[in-house]
Amino acid sequence: MARKHKKTKENILTKPAKKISLSPLAYCVIIISGLIIIFYFYLIRQQYFLWDDVLYQWYPFFSFIKDSLKIFKLPMWNPYSFAGTPASNDLILTFYPINWIFLFLNGGSVLTFYQVELMILFHLLLIGCFAFLFFKELGIEWQPSILGSIILVFSGYLSLRTIQITPIVSFTWSLLASYFFIRMLTSDKMFDAAIGGLCFGFGLLGGHPQFLLYLAYALIVYYLYRAFAFKKQSWSKWFMVSLVKLMIFFLIGAGIAMIQYYPTMKYVPYTLRESQTFVQTTDGSLLPVQLITILIPKFFGSITGSGTDSVFFWIAPAGHYYWESGIYLGILPIFLALFGVFYSPRKIKYAFLIISVLALLFALGKYFPLYKTFWHIIPGLNRFRFPVRFLSIYTFSTAILTTFGLERFLLTNEKLQKQLIKFTKFISIFLLISIFIYILLATGVLKGLSKNFSSPEILANCLKQFRIYLVFLLLTWLLFFAKQHMKSNPTIFIILAVIISFIDLYQANHNFSKGATRPDEYYRYTNLVKFLQEERKKEVFRIRAREDGYMILKRNEGCLWKLELTEGLAPLSLARYWTFNVPLSRRDEILNCKYVIKVDTIQNRMTLIQNPKYLPRAFFCYDYLVVQDDSAVLGLLRSDSINLRQTVILEEQPQIPTIGPFGNDSVAIQNWQNDYIQVYVKTTAPGFLVLSEIFYPEWCAKIDGQPTKIYCADYLLRAVYVPEGEHTIEMYYSKRNITIGALISLITLIFAITIGLISYKKEKSDLHN
């Protein structure tokens, strides 16, 4: 027995170690993770910080969401911005589950800005992984698929969107939805349609419906191309089955997101978004001259979180036009995409070429002659601003074409050699023309093209950026030239392509996210904040903390300290608030602003002073006036002809028995929460309880437990008729719309699971047979 044991032990010791091999997806995860660390190392080590919308909007909003979820309440109404606004709208990611994970990474402690940054970086990694799966589903080898993933993750569109969370999140799930969409059209499984729809719905929950709408149109174009370019004997059957799956895909996607979008659809009619004109919706159209940035991304300057790393973006009136127009994919990727268009044997390349070109044309918006026609015809175009966001679809489609090009580039045969020679000549001509244009620009011949070229700083930047472009164009030419004359392992060329592309995108985009503002310094817990919080314990009031460009408290900062501000920053807000055009002092009075900012422009100082004229949050009026014209209401509010403490202005004739005469009353707020208010009233005569709370139809009221009507008062406040005597008035935010949305989402989820199970059982049955 001892000898046998020894032999067994010797066998174990002498047996060769089993080689550990990683799957292609694991390689993708490792490579993308490493490159993200390199690209955003300054964020990871907190040397720099994300800025703009992430700092001003999402961090305070996420803090508000976390505070609500900690006490097991959905954030329905946000009283801390814009004097009160609905919180459960589509752009706040309230119902996006992954958001909840990152909010509670540190348990119930105060949300840190770093958690928000980690959430964005995590989604960039997901984008790389989901893109890899998509490319593989198209039949691309894993090496070109990794290059395509790298191009997407570090593309101009995504790298310049790190300060806006919702486009990143929606783009993430659109890739996985597209993966299942491709599978859906090439298999008989309804399972793929169901799962793909769920992913599409997740993308909608990510809060950027504009991109998902554009993606839906792109997928429909792809579907139609497949339907008519790949006709088979059973074409009619395939078309009908695929059409059913297409409907299931989009119905599930829309249904899953209804918990978020049904309340939003009810909200939008009360916002400025409802009445947008063609001129307003085409704000943010890509200037035709900006097509230069396909090759030279900083030709017109740049914006970063710390200023600029070239010259300030000068071709548009505001900095946000720079990051909205992120179009750069790198020089080598663009030429590989062209190589794929010219020489890839895949017929499906034409579908993505069509989608890419159409997306580019639609991104031009008002500069595309047919856009206005489509604006009237295609659903959704008249709802969203910034047609330039079609560049998201251009980026996706062009990255696909790049993988087709690299796939063809890596082959070795006689036919490919001829194609390489032709394409290298094409690049050579392109390079020579580019050098010639550079010489003309450098010698001043082209100065007349733009008055801005008369600025030495701008011209110097144009020349510098042109030289960078020439360097990467030369590297592209060298790679194609080397492929003709060297029979190296294809892996060498893949590595070179990855290195060249990453360095190119790194130099173009990596500085953008470098914000120099420390979040903990930007939102400091000051003595002023502490004082206001103590005052808030005594009574409910608002603060006007901004005047022109001066802010003593930042927009949305109230979400962090539970202080109600009349300022804010959000994609959607109530139209009544923005059209409340009355003098500032009157506005402060009506909106219960106990404290207002005072600015000394000479000494450039700000202080917060008490407003002696502010109306209480809840008060009683014994007289009313009915004025149905909005402009007339505003006219009365601008004047001093009406004592708002005694008379309330209503917009409809109230169905009430009597009112007045003037009596005695006492009003006390007994319970005040974000979505619930309880007020005790004692009055000797009937009248109106007026609350300095923003009117919105989702608010309901009860008197002594019985439902009653809320009237729109003084243009944007709430009023309730109260008979004489002692009464308890309750106001609460209705959960009706969110309940309907949740029910639709639940039914959709059950429907998707049912389809998935039926499809799975059918597949299992077919295997047994």
Side-chain angles (χ1 to χ4, degrees), residues 420-528:
L420 282 170
I421 292 169
K422 286 182 182 180
F423 198 76
T424 305
K425 288 180 181 178
F426 167 73
I427 300 176
S428 301
I429 295 169
F430 207 93
L431 180 60
L432 291 173
I433 292 173
S434 298
I435 293 172
F436 179 67
I437 294 173
Y438 173 80
I439 292 170
L440 293 179
L441 190 62
T443 54
V445 176
L446 297 181
K447 273 189 178 182
L449 288 177
S450 173
K451 63 180 181 180
N452 292 284
F453 286 163
S454 60
S455 165
E457 186 182 22
I458 288 177
L459 182 58
N461 174 70
C462 292
L463 293 173
K464 177 186 175 182
Q465 301 303 325
F466 213 119
R467 288 193 294 271
I468 294 172
Y469 153 69
L470 290 175
V471 168
F472 284 99
L473 182 57
L474 179 61
L475 289 173
T476 300
W477 179 86
L478 286 172
L479 192 67
F480 275 85
F481 183 80
K483 186 65 171 66
Q484 291 179 51
H485 299 87
M486 296 173 60
K487 294 186 178 181
S488 301
N489 189 319
T491 304
I492 303 271
F493 290 103
I494 291 171
I495 293 172
L496 288 173
V498 167
I499 291 173
I500 292 171
S501 299
F502 180 73
I503 292 175
D504 190 357
L505 293 171
Y506 182 89
Q507 65 83 27
N509 301 323
H510 98 285
N511 282 327
F512 174 77
S513 300
K514 286 184 174 180
T517 303
R518 292 188 61 89
D520 54 348
E521 293 179 358
Y522 188 76
Y523 296 116
R524 287 188 301 143
Y525 187 75
T526 61
N527 288 331
L528 174 62

Side-chain angles (χ1 to χ4, degrees), residues 23 220 380:
S23 69
I220 290 171

Side-chain angles (χ1 to χ4, degrees), residues 239-257:
F239 184 81
M240 293 306 298
V241 171
S242 298
L243 187 60
V244 170
K245 288 192 284 188
L246 186 76
M247 293 172 64
I248 289 172
F249 179 92
F250 287 120
L251 283 173
I252 289 176
I256 284 296

Side-chain angles (χ1 to χ4, degrees), residues 712-724:
C712 185
D714 298 339
Y715 191 75
L716 79 173
L717 303 183
R718 306 176 206 157
V720 171
Y721 172 75
V722 180
E724 63 181 293

Side-chain angles (χ1 to χ4, degrees), residues 594-605:
K594 182 178 180 179
Y595 294 99
V596 297
I597 187 174
K598 182 180 179 181
V599 179
D600 185 340
T601 54
I602 297 174
Q603 298 186 13
N604 196 30
R605 291 181 57 190

Side-chain angles (χ1 to χ4, degrees), residues 229-240:
F230 294 89
K231 289 188 177 182
K232 302 177 182 179
Q233 290 181 345
S234 57
W235 179 84
S236 58
K237 180 181 177 182
W238 177 90
F239 184 81
M240 293 306 298

